[in-house]
């Protein structure tokens, strides 16, 4: 599929900053990819931002405004939104994907609602019981994928097995890794370590013919670059993700403080280190990665951080566009189908 035929449904009301950040980020994503963005939300608010950006002048082909009269609050329960807020920006955007009027859905809104809308409006790939939220994360060498990072707090072994199948397929296509190294997140590298979920999932993954399973990975292995896909349940994954984000932020602040508050020489060293700091910031900045794909749906969904800035929204659109152009969705379907027998066996246990 060529870029100029791609249509991306963007929840313009999502995130902590709404249209003021989402709209400019989405427009920049359209400029960089050639895709058309469908800005879904309260039309008056969206057009106000467009007017401030002067986007009406010669850029009308980049976007279309789709009116949705209801908004979603962070306190809204997912089930209530799916049933009761059918004219919310997230509900309408997912409906556009289901009806084939959009190729992907992007939102920085309530992640629980995004998951529910994806599940019940877009629907799941046949054979997938639980879609997984997957996050690209920086390492010493190249990015790795961690999943699930919060969509499924409680999992069974066949869920983790399918997460591994989908994660491996995703990084092959999107990151170009030929034989992605897949590991289970555990409290020890040795076989036999971990809780019952990890141990049973380990036995399943050893039998998978199409996965390069390398065993368990400890928390200290996440950022070495020696593993490409790390699989866990959503509770553990979300803690690991938030811990990583917090650590990166605290380390950056600590370095700044130490280099700028202890005399002339440290300050001079800090000035000389500016290029290195910029490179470091780029590596650890979540905005570089855009959002987390929700793997396992019939359509493409990218869930962004609630505090996403315009750059993060742009990155999310670029990720969605790449996902579409590479045909990754079809390969996810094929990968799940190829492992159907082992999945069915695992479900029966």
């Amino acid at each position: 599929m060529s870029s100029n035929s791609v249509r991306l449904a963007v929840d313009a009301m999502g995130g902590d900053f709404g249209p003021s950040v989402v709209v400019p980020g989405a427009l920049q994503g359209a400029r960089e990819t050639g895709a058309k963005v469908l800005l879904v939300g309260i039309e008056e608010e969206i057009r106000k931002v467009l007017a401030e950006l002067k986007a009406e002048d010669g850029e009308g082909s980049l976007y279309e405004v789709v009116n949705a009269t209801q908004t979603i609050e962070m306190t809204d329960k997912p089930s209530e939104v799916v049933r009761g807020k059918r004219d919310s920006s997230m509900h309408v955007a997912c409906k556009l994907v289901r009806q084939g009027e959009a190729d992907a859905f992007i939102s920085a809104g309530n992640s629980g609602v995004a998951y529910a809308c994806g599940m019940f409006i877009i629907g799941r790939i046949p054979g997938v019981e639980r879609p997984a939220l997957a996050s690209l994360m920086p390492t010493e060498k190249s990015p790795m994928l961690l999943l699930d990072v919060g969509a499924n707090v409680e999992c069974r072994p066949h869920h983790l097995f399918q997460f591994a199948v989908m994660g491996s397929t995703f990084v092959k296509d999107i990151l170009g890794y030929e034989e992605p190294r897949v590991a289970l997140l555990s409290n020890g590298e040795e076989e036999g370590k971990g809780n019952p979920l990890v141990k049973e999932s380990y036995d399943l993954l050893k039998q998978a013919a199409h996965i390069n399973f390398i065993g368990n990975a400890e928390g200290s292995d996440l950022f070495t670059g020696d593993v490409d896909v790390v699989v866990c349940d959503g509770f553990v994954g979300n803690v690991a993700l938030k811990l990583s984000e917090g650590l990166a932020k605290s380390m950056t602040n600590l370095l700044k403080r130490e280099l700028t508050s202890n005399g002339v020489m440290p300050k001079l060293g800090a000035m000389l280190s500016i290029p290195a700091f910029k490179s470091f910031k780029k590596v650890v900045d979540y905005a570089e990665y855009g959002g987390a794909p929700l793997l396992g749906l019939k359509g493409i969904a990218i869930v962004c951080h609630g505090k996403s800035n315009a750059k993060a929204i742009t990155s999310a659109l670029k990720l969605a566009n790449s996902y579409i152009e590479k045909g990754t969705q079809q390969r996810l379907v094929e990968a799940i189908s190829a492992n159907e027998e082992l999945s069915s066996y695992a479900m029966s246990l």
Side-chain angles (χ1 to χ4, degrees):
M1 182 180 288
S2 61
S3 291
N4 58 17
S5 66
V6 171
R7 294 165 67 85
L8 305 174
V10 180
D11 170 17
M13 312 308 294
D16 293 356
F17 310 109
S20 65
V21 161
V22 176
V23 171
L27 282 179
Q28 185 59 31
R31 294 184 191 107
E32 293 186 27
T33 63
K36 184 168 187 174
V37 292
L38 308 180
L39 299 168
V40 185
I42 298 173
E43 185 169 3
E44 182 181 356
E45 294 187 24
I46 295 171
R47 291 204 181 278
K48 181 181 177 182
V49 176
L50 288 169
E52 291 171 355
L53 295 170
K54 303 190 185 323
E56 301 286 354
D57 300 332
E59 289 194 324
S61 62
L62 291 177
Y63 67 87
E64 178 182 329
V65 178
V66 180
N67 191 39
T69 61
Q70 295 175 301
T71 57
I72 295 170
E73 307 300 330
M74 293 306 289
T75 54
D76 284 344
K77 293 181 179 179
S79 59
E80 293 174 354
V81 173
V82 172
R83 291 196 300 265
K85 287 192 172 182
R86 299 194 176 191
D87 202 40
S88 63
S89 52
M90 205 179 290
H91 199 292
V92 172
C94 283
K95 195 173 178 181
L96 289 171
V97 175
R98 186 188 71 191
Q99 295 173 338
E101 296 176 41
D103 302 295
F105 155 66
I106 297 109
S107 176
N110 185 314
S111 58
V113 174
Y115 181 80
C117 287
M119 281 269 286
F120 298 108
I121 300 172
I122 298 175
R124 293 166 289 167
I125 292 172
V128 172
E129 191 170 282
R130 301 270 189 91
L133 200 57
S135 179
L136 285 167
M137 299 177 68
T139 76
E140 293 175 24
K141 299 173 184 174
S142 54
M144 70 92 175
L145 191 72
L146 177 68
L147 72 167
D148 179 32
V149 293
N152 304 284
V153 175
E154 295 183 4
C155 293
R156 293 176 59 194
H158 66 274
H159 297 141
L160 266 58
F161 171 72
Q162 289 191 336
F163 297 170
V165 170
M166 294 188 293
S168 179
T169 302
F170 182 83
V171 298
K172 271 185 183 179
D173 262 30
I174 299 299
L175 301 181
Y177 299 167
E178 291 185 8
E179 292 292 332
R181 298 158 296 179
V182 179
L184 282 166
L185 187 56
S186 186
N187 63 337
E189 294 182 352
E190 304 85 2
E191 182 174 357
K193 287 281 189 176
N195 59 18
L197 172 63
V198 172
K199 291 177 183 177
E200 292 174 34
S201 301
Y202 192 107
D203 291 338
L204 275 176
L205 287 166
K206 282 200 305 183
Q207 301 176 56
H210 307 292
I211 298 175
N212 180 22
F213 179 57
I214 61 172
N216 289 333
E218 296 180 294
S220 58
D221 299 322
L222 289 180
F223 304 104
T224 62
D226 295 326
V227 61
D228 304 310
V229 179
V230 177
V231 179
C232 56
D233 65 63
F235 180 85
V236 171
N238 191 261
V239 171
L241 177 66
K242 298 292 175 59
L243 175 64
S244 303
E245 290 175 348
L247 179 62
K249 183 176 180 180
S250 294
M251 287 296 292
T252 301
N253 291 339
L254 181 61
L255 283 168
K256 283 181 181 177
R257 188 185 73 192
E258 292 299 314
L259 288 171
T260 58
S261 63
N262 291 313
V264 176
M265 292 306 292
K267 288 180 180 178
L268 178 60
M271 290 180 63
L272 294 173
S273 301
I274 286 174
F277 277 122
K278 286 182 177 179
S279 297
F280 175 73
K281 185 178 184 298
K282 186 173 182 179
V283 168
V284 300
D285 186 5
Y286 71 87
E288 293 289 333
Y289 301 94
L294 190 51
L295 303 179
L297 298 178
K298 285 182 179 178
I300 297 166
I302 308 291
V303 181
C304 304
H305 199 292
K307 297 184 184 300
S308 288
N309 55 23
K311 181 181 178 181
I313 300 298
T314 299
S315 296
L317 264 74
K318 290 164 70 175
L319 175 61
N321 188 71
S322 180
Y323 202 134
I324 293 160
E325 289 198 320
K326 292 175 183 290
T328 304
Q329 181 66 18
Q330 180 57 35
R331 272 179 285 286
L332 286 171
V333 173
E334 292 167 357
I336 290 295
S337 178
N339 288 276
E340 183 179 3
E341 186 175 342
L342 191 51
S343 289
S344 298
Y345 164 73
M347 289 179 190
S348 68
L349 295 177

